[in-house]
């Protein structure tokens, strides 16, 4: 195949606070045909995720910052168009970390094979992908057991909705918070949460107390700040916190003071465990076995919000911070 012209999204400047469209550019580039051992892939779905906000800062973290003027990276599922690697043939479905672009050429070792039998293929970015794995790993991290009460913030998002469903399937009593009535309905009716409340319409502290008058055993933190404070108060003696994310502070310019009631950790002998999905790669098969079986038998629902076109990917990403997604936010490419 000869050269093709494709579009990719680049980081144009580092955002201050909430990112806006000017922080990004949509560039056209020419792709060379694949050389020996390489594969040309057309992305079908790309992922936008809150963690990407951290990589837009010029700050050392667990993954390096995105480079200015270079295409962004992120989860993607695509179809092999041309292969010069023995592991893949045209038509194969693959996942990669080469999202934010329409096509790419990569060596075979940068790709993971996926099956067309799983539909929609965007499930590989959500329930059976990185965010589903995060949910599963969080429950494993603190050994969530049947009969326990678990509270999940950011519950109607990609990680939260899977964490809640898996906890329910493990026999827990599950409480979730989210930011709209539509999301509460989704949590109660589709994800079978026992209780769900809207953190925007009242105090989290009061609503959590009403939902769990006897307290909670586990808190799955996707949000941080006041929600973490409320959970610290609600946790029982020997309770555990899965420190997964802190989306409420990702756009802050300066760090906020920590929870005012951290002394609960001492008085109630709490455990806070940090979760990084990257640490769990070698448990991928265990995750696939549990989540994949539940998904195929209809016990684990995959919900997603689909935005169409690479030109709308930036808006989809920014929309995460305004709660515009129910379930996993994905971008479908033509
Ligand atoms: N540790 C890891 O390895 C790992 C891996 C993946 C994700 N994460 C973290 O897990 C969390 C969830 O990620 P996700 O991919 O599943 O995203 P998501 O929940 O699908 O999307 C983000 C959601 O966060 C909520 N939100 C936005 N701003 C908020 C605020 N100020 N306060 C409270 N809620 C807010 C919005 O829902 P509402 O309408 O409910 O506000 C929005 O829909 C994030 O913190 C992410 O960074 C961690």
């Amino acid at each position: 195949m000869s050269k093709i012209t494709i579009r990719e999204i680049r980081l144009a400047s580092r955002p201050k606070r909430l990112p806006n469209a000017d922080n990004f550019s949509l560039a056209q580039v020419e792709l060379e045909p694949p050389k020996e051992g390489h594969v040309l892939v057309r992305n079908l779905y790309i992922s936008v995720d809150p963690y990407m906000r951290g990589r837009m800062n010029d700050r050392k973290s667990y993954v390096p910052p995105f480079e200015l003027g270079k295409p962004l990276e992120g989860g993607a599922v695509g179809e092999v168009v041309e292969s010069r690697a023995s592991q893949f043939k045209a038509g194969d479905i693959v996942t990669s970390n080469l999202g934010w672009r329409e096509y790419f050429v990569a060596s075979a070792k940068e790709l993971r094979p996926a099956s067309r039998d799983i539909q929609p293929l965007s499930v590989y970015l959500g329930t059976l992908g990185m965010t589903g794995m995060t949910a599963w790993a969080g429950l494993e991290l603190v050994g969530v057991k049947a009969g326990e009460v678990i509270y999940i913030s950011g519950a109607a998002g990609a990680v939260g909705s899977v964490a809640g469903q898996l906890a329910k399937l493990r026999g827990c009593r599950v409480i979730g918070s989210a930011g709209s009535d539509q999301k509460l309905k989704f949590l109660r009716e589709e994800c079978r949460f026992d209780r769900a409340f809207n953190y925007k319409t009242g105090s989290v502290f009061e609503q959590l107390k009403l939902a769990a008058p006897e307290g909670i055993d586990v808190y799955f933190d996707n949000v941080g700040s006041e929600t973490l404070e409320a959970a610290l108060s609600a946790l029982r003696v020997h309770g555990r916190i899965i420190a997964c994310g802190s989306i409420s502070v990702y756009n802050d310019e300066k760090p906020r003071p920590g929870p005012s009631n951290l002394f609960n950790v001492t008085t109630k002998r709490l455990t806070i465990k940090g979760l990084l999905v990257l640490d769990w790669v070698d448990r991928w098969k265990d995750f696939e076995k549990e989540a994949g079986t539940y998904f195929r038998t209809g016990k684990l629902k995959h919900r997603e919000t689909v935005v169409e076109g690479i030109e709308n990917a930036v808006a989809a990403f920014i929309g995460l911070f305004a709660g515009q997604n129910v379930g996993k936010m994905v971008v479908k490419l033509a």
Side-chain angles (χ1 to χ4, degrees):
M1 199 183 257
S2 50
K3 282 184 188 175
I4 56 168
T5 305
I6 65 120
R7 293 179 298 170
E8 64 182 27
I9 296 178
R10 296 177 179 173
L11 187 64
S13 57
R14 301 211 179 272
K16 295 200 167 66
R17 300 183 156 267
L18 182 68
N20 64 58
D22 294 339
N23 297 126
F24 306 88
S25 65
L26 184 59
Q28 290 210 343
V29 282
E30 281 205 331
L31 273 191
E32 297 288 340
K35 51 183 198 262
E36 194 53 40
H38 285 62
V39 177
L40 171 67
V41 176
R42 177 169 77 105
N43 275 335
L44 302 172
Y45 292 94
I46 60 173
S47 184
V48 290
D49 298 271
Y51 81 87
M52 294 169 174
R53 176 64 186 86
R55 294 193 69 187
M56 291 171 191
N57 297 327
D58 192 10
R59 214 178 285 151
K60 209 173 161 196
S61 186
Y62 62 97
V63 271
F66 289 129
E67 286 182 57
L68 289 178
K70 295 268 174 69
L72 298 169
E73 289 166 7
V77 56
E79 182 178 33
V80 173
V81 178
E82 186 185 345
S83 176
R84 297 197 58 205
S86 56
Q87 301 93 316
F88 296 102
K89 61 178 186 318
D92 283 353
I93 298 297
V94 291
T95 60
S96 75
N97 198 38
L98 293 163
W100 294 94
R101 65 203 84 187
E102 291 175 310
Y103 289 75
F104 63 86
V105 172
S107 74
K109 57 178 187 293
E110 290 181 78
L111 308 174
R112 280 169 61 101
S115 164
R116 242 179 229 285
D117 298 343
I118 298 283
Q119 291 288 338
L121 290 169
S122 47
V123 173
Y124 286 114
L125 303 179
T127 302
L128 298 186
M130 186 275 284
T131 54
M133 174 68 177
T134 305
W136 180 85
L139 302 185
E140 290 289 297
L141 182 70
V142 303
V144 171
K145 301 184 288 290
E148 292 192 310
V149 181
I150 180 167
Y151 164 50
I152 301 168
S153 58
V159 173
S161 62
V162 174
Q165 292 182 76
L166 291 177
K168 198 71 203 144
L169 287 161
R170 286 183 182 194
C172 297
R173 183 164 185 273
V174 181
I175 299 163
S177 56
S180 74
D181 290 346
Q182 180 206 8
K183 292 186 181 189
L184 300 190
K185 194 168 179 309
F186 162 63
L187 292 177
R188 291 186 192 118
E189 294 178 9
E190 284 182 54
C191 302
R192 303 192 309 122
F193 277 51
D194 297 283
R195 294 289 289 269
F197 63 85
N198 187 338
Y199 73 94
K200 289 183 177 165
T201 57
S203 127
V204 178
F205 180 86
E206 293 300 338
Q207 295 190 87
L208 184 54
K209 211 162 149 192
L210 269 179
E214 310 298 327
I216 60 174
D217 300 293
V218 177
Y219 171 46
F220 198 122
D221 190 15
N222 289 313
V223 162
S225 315
E226 296 85 357
T227 312
L228 173 58
E229 262 183 12
L232 281 164
S233 295
L235 278 158
R236 293 172 177 159
V237 169
H238 296 137
R240 292 98 79 205
I241 296 177
I242 303 154
C244 173
S246 209
I247 193 166
S248 66
V249 305
Y250 290 174
N251 291 310
D252 285 2
E253 269 185 301
K254 288 191 192 135
R256 289 186 208 186
S260 61
N261 57 351
L262 201 59
F263 192 51
N264 276 296
V265 174
T266 306
T267 56
K268 294 194 268 190
R269 285 82 83 205
L270 305 178
T271 304
I272 306 178
K273 284 198 171 180
L275 170 69
L276 255 197
V277 67
L278 296 175
D279 296 343
W280 290 75
V281 176
D282 60 344
R283 297 286 309 277
W284 193 268
K285 281 211 160 68
D286 298 326
F287 154 67
E288 265 182 346
K289 195 169 165 204
E290 185 175 339
T293 305
Y294 283 141
F295 176 77
R296 280 186 287 277
T297 52
K299 291 184 176 151
L300 177 60
K301 305 267 186 294
H302 170 78
R303 178 72 175 262
E304 61 186 18
T305 300
V306 183
V307 168
E308 303 237 354
I310 194 164
E311 62 283 4
N312 295 316
V314 168
F317 169 68
I318 296 170
L320 291 168
F321 299 95
Q324 285 171 3
N325 58 310
V326 184
K328 179 78 187 90
M329 182 76 101
V330 292
V331 181
K332 186 176 185 195
L333 304 189

